[in-house]
Amino acid sequence: MKVSSVLRLLLSILFCSLFTTCIPAGAQQAQSPAQAPAQTKAVAKDRPLPRLVQESGRHALFVDGAPFVILGAQVNNSSAWPAVLPKVWPAIEYLHANTVEVPIYWEQFEPEQGRFDYSVLDTLLAQAREHHVRLVLLWFGTWKNGSSHYMPGWMKRLPERYPRMTGANGRPLDSPSPYASEALKADVQGFSALMRQLKTADHERTVIMVQVENEPGTWGSVRDYSPAAQKLFESPVPRELLTALHKETSTRAANWQAVFGEDAEEFFHAWSVARYIEEVAAAGKAIYALPVYVNAALRNPLHPSRPPSYESGGPTDNVIPIWKAAAPSIDLLAPDIYLDEGAEYLKALDLYQRPDNALFVPEARNVPAYSRYFFAALGHQAIGFSPFGMDYTGYSNSPLGATKITEESLAPFALNYTLVGPMAGEIARLNFEGKLQAVAEEKGQPSQSLDFGSWTATVAYGLRQFGPGENPPGNPEPIGRVLVARLADDQFLVAGLFCRVDFRVSDSASGKQRQFLRVEEGTYENGTFRPIRIWNGDQTDWGLNFTSAAQVLRVSLGTY
Ligand code: DGJ
């Protein structure tokens, strides 16, 4: 050792004995928070929390500090077990999904009261990271499709302590009571443990959103008829609800029946279920403030009847204002869309896209023909879309979903995500800025137009690539879909499948015709458009034709 090195070593020993920076690791933990630079450093390394942002009536889910669109896939109910995940990941990879929705089963997570088993959650986090996808966790807690089948065994064995609802005939129903205070306490504890563990284990923000409960509410009865519920039903409607619904002051002392008439029982149940879930959500968010949502089993949006013909108490379209008032901690209410294609489906998108509610479709039919509705959802400013049952475990929820899940049945969904995936951040940003429009083809509607002010984009379906475009016949099955986004006054991003897109000057009286200044095909890489070729000649003379190829165009327009 050289003399200078020995000197340096001696000096550093002297330095260490004078200052506290060389205290052993164990002793460091005893520092006061103000003295804990190591901890501050760890927090600074964290990625920003995912959050929902609302501006000018539009919404975005921010992930890693930027708008993000969920190209989602929800697995089957019993597919989140480590032993089964090998049958999940190949489907997710094939789909090019960027987010997987997976359940967290209360019965697995808390096998004994107060003892939590994080093993499945840890596996999900690790495997999602390996596969470079985000997760939306579905808390299968007190409610799962209106029942309480995921309550842990230690709860199921004590029905008196954790009661079900009472039907109008006085018999118990297979649906948890929203007035069960011990069950609520237990759910608060279980959900809090989940959020606490995520806060500790997920500095990478692999989990971007959490669904609290699953399709809560009740099938087969409009409300609880237990004596406790009856007493509340006959009591005055809570003040905060009357205020939120702008009800007259004279109604303030009146009970549910007097205020809401024939809607009273349903509104009462919606309020009760929402209040319960509000407590669960608020407790979890106080620990770790991820965006949370509640999903709805929908009623028919065009021909609504009354419960019990649909699930009562969940956030169906008619009770959204009640849920908003009762559950301010819930960031959004989300439609599970298993409706028929066409007007019903589109109406559901309309109803949940609101200035006070970001549209997110956490479940949708995985029937191939329905893949086009990903585009319709984007056209409704959706922050995400997720078909249900997307794994190779062999389960099919037909007739809701496809009869068999194979690469062939997944292909039309994979096409969506292959096309949009590389530019997903751009799409989310453009949508948040109100610059994007997107549509899906409907039977009997072979053309559509998108109004961009000075320009109108026209979309036609079922045409050959070569030849004029009058009277398009529509595709034999309605599989067309397209998105158009304005990048500058006269420049558009266009990406579609099975359709022809063109532009015209909106002001037809101007006598001006459009000309393509430049039509570039390219790809987005890290937010920048990289052209690979220019389309011209046959490729533009009849309009811009999209087939099953994932092609993205940047179109610059002029007039003559
Ligand atoms: C809606 C539920 O939310 C899902 O968990 C699942 O049960 C589907 N219905 C049916 O497959």
Side-chain angles (χ1 to χ4, degrees):
M1 201 182 259
K2 283 195 194 148
V3 179
S4 62
S5 311
V6 175
L7 240 174
R8 262 210 303 273
L9 183 69
L10 283 172
L11 270 174
S12 75
I13 290 169
L14 179 69
F15 192 83
C16 273
S17 61
L18 285 175
F19 298 97
T20 51
T21 43
C22 297
I23 48 179
Q28 270 191 9
Q29 282 170 14
Q31 285 179 310
S32 74
Q35 292 173 301
Q39 203 179 337
T40 318
K41 233 182 179 174
V43 172
K45 257 197 325 200
D46 286 354
R47 297 186 183 188
L49 263 185
R51 66 197 169 101
L52 275 160
V53 181
Q54 198 258 40
E55 246 173 59
S56 322
R58 289 188 297 272
H59 305 268
L61 173 64
F62 274 62
V63 173
D64 294 342
F68 181 91
V69 58
I70 293 177
L71 311 179
Q74 183 167 154
V75 304
N76 279 299
N77 288 166
S78 306
S79 298
W81 293 91
V84 182
L85 289 175
K87 294 204 159 86
V88 169
W89 294 118
I92 303 302
E93 276 165 19
Y94 179 74
L95 282 166
H96 290 90
N98 67 11
T99 304
V100 186
E101 296 178 12
V102 280
I104 296 291
Y105 315 115
W106 193 3
E107 62 183 352
Q108 176 281 322
F109 188 71
E110 192 178 359
E112 288 165 32
Q113 188 162 22
R115 183 173 73 76
F116 299 102
D117 177 351
Y118 303 121
S119 59
V120 173
L121 175 63
D122 289 346
T123 305
L124 288 169
L125 288 174
Q127 294 196 10
R129 287 171 192 152
E130 274 166 31
H131 289 85
H132 308 288
V133 293
R134 306 290 177 139
L135 295 176
V136 169
L137 297 184
L138 317 173
W139 173 242
F140 283 10
T142 298
W143 279 274
K144 164 68 174 77
N145 297 20
S147 300
S148 52
H149 299 173
Y150 283 85
M151 272 187 181
W154 52 266
M155 294 178 76
K156 285 182 179 160
R157 277 183 221 104
L158 296 174
E160 302 79 26
R161 192 172 167 85
Y162 306 110
R164 288 180 165 79
M165 279 177 32
T166 304
N169 59 6
R171 294 221 193 95
L173 293 162
D174 186 15
S175 189
S177 165
Y179 317 105
S181 55
E182 288 302 318
L184 171 58
K185 248 194 257 167
D187 200 332
V188 163
Q189 271 175 26
F191 188 65
S192 298
L194 172 65
M195 297 306 267
R196 197 171 294 115
Q197 178 65 9
L198 278 184
K199 184 180 179 179
T200 312
D202 192 24
H203 298 275
E204 292 178 40
R205 316 303 183 203
T206 297
V207 176
I208 54 175
M209 209 156 49
V210 179
Q211 179 186 292
V212 194
E213 316 298 338
N214 189 87
E215 292 192 351
T218 303
W219 290 98
S221 178
V222 64
R223 69 170 173 98
D224 192 353
Y225 292 90
S226 66
Q230 190 58 30
K231 197 165 162 220
L232 286 170
F233 183 65
E234 287 163 10
S235 305
V237 176
R239 228 157 221 287
E240 57 215 288
L241 180 58
L242 293 176
T243 309
L245 299 183
H246 310 294
K247 287 281 172 189
E248 300 299 317
T249 38
S250 56
T251 57
R252 280 179 179 263
N255 68 24
W256 291 82
Q257 194 65 58
V259 177
F260 296 115
E262 56 180 6
D263 291 322
E265 296 195 295
E266 183 184 3
F267 285 13
F268 169 71
H269 196 43
W271 171 263
S272 306
V273 174
R275 291 303 287 172
Y276 183 111
I277 297 178
E278 165 63 15
E279 286 202 40
V280 178
K285 284 181 80 170
I287 295 164
Y288 186 45
L290 280 183
V292 301
Y293 71 94
V294 174
N295 60 334
L298 301 182
R299 61 183 200 152
N300 186 310
L302 294 179
H303 310 288
S305 46
R306 292 195 167 276
S309 71
Y310 58 87
E311 190 182 22
S312 177
T316 45
D317 67 83
N318 53 326
V319 295
I320 290 175
I322 294 178
W323 269 79
K324 293 282 174 191
S329 301
I330 304 292
D331 295 275
L332 66 93
L333 303 168
D336 289 349
I337 312 187
Y338 292 94
L339 299 164
D340 285 346
E341 60 188 319
E344 277 182 11
Y345 203 111
L346 296 173
K347 183 70 181 174
L349 296 175
D350 283 346
L351 289 168
Y352 285 82
Q353 177 198 10
R354 300 165 45 122
D356 65 353
N357 195 65
L359 175 65
F360 172 50
V361 183
E363 290 183 40
R365 302 175 78 161
N366 63 4
V367 173
Y370 284 67
S371 58
R372 68 191 196 274
Y373 286 115
F374 165 63
F375 278 72
L378 285 182
H380 284 75
Q381 248 263 298
I383 61 158
F385 181 86
S386 179
F388 176 86
M390 306 301 260
D391 59 48
Y392 294 141
T393 53
Y395 189 80
S396 145
N397 70 355
S398 169
L400 295 181
T403 42
K404 203 162 179 220
I405 309 304
T406 58
E407 283 198 355
E408 201 187 337
S409 78
L410 296 183
F413 294 94
L415 211 46
N416 288 342
Y417 294 171
T418 310
L419 179 63
V420 173
M423 55 179 181
E426 293 302 299
I427 295 305
R429 179 182 60 76
L430 289 161
N431 222 350
F432 185 42
E433 292 171 358
K435 295 177 179 163
L436 185 139
Q437 298 189 46
V439 284
E441 181 180 1
E442 288 305 336
K443 267 188 191 137
Q445 201 187 345
S447 59
Q448 290 162 321
S449 56
L450 308 174
D451 180 1
F452 284 94
S454 53
W455 290 105
T456 298
T458 56
V459 190
Y461 302 105
L463 295 166
R464 291 194 191 98
Q465 294 182 69
F466 188 88
E470 289 87 43
N471 304 319
N475 287 305
E477 288 301 320
I479 54 173
R481 58 201 87 169
V482 68
L483 67 83
V484 182
R486 193 170 212 152
L487 299 175
D489 280 355
D490 298 322
Q491 193 179 58
F492 292 86
L493 171 74
V494 189
L497 297 163
F498 314 110
C499 64
R500 177 184 293 187
V501 178
D502 208 335
F503 291 85
R504 64 177 160 75
V505 176
S506 298
D507 179 8
S508 51
S510 70
K512 289 186 177 160
Q513 308 292 315
R514 75 100 184 101
Q515 64 170 326
F516 290 124
L517 298 183
R518 201 176 168 88
V519 176
E520 300 157 290
E521 181 186 343
T523 51
Y524 270 90
E525 281 166 32
N526 302 322
T528 306
F529 185 78
R530 308 240 180 255
I532 52 171
R533 65 167 167 161
I534 291 177
W535 281 20
N536 207 336
D538 286 350
Q539 280 67 54
T540 59
D541 289 349
W542 306 106
L544 312 172
N545 290 286
F546 293 91
T547 59
S548 62
Q551 288 171 319
V552 179
L553 301 181
R554 185 167 69 178
V555 181
S556 300
L557 300 171
T559 55
Y560 61 93

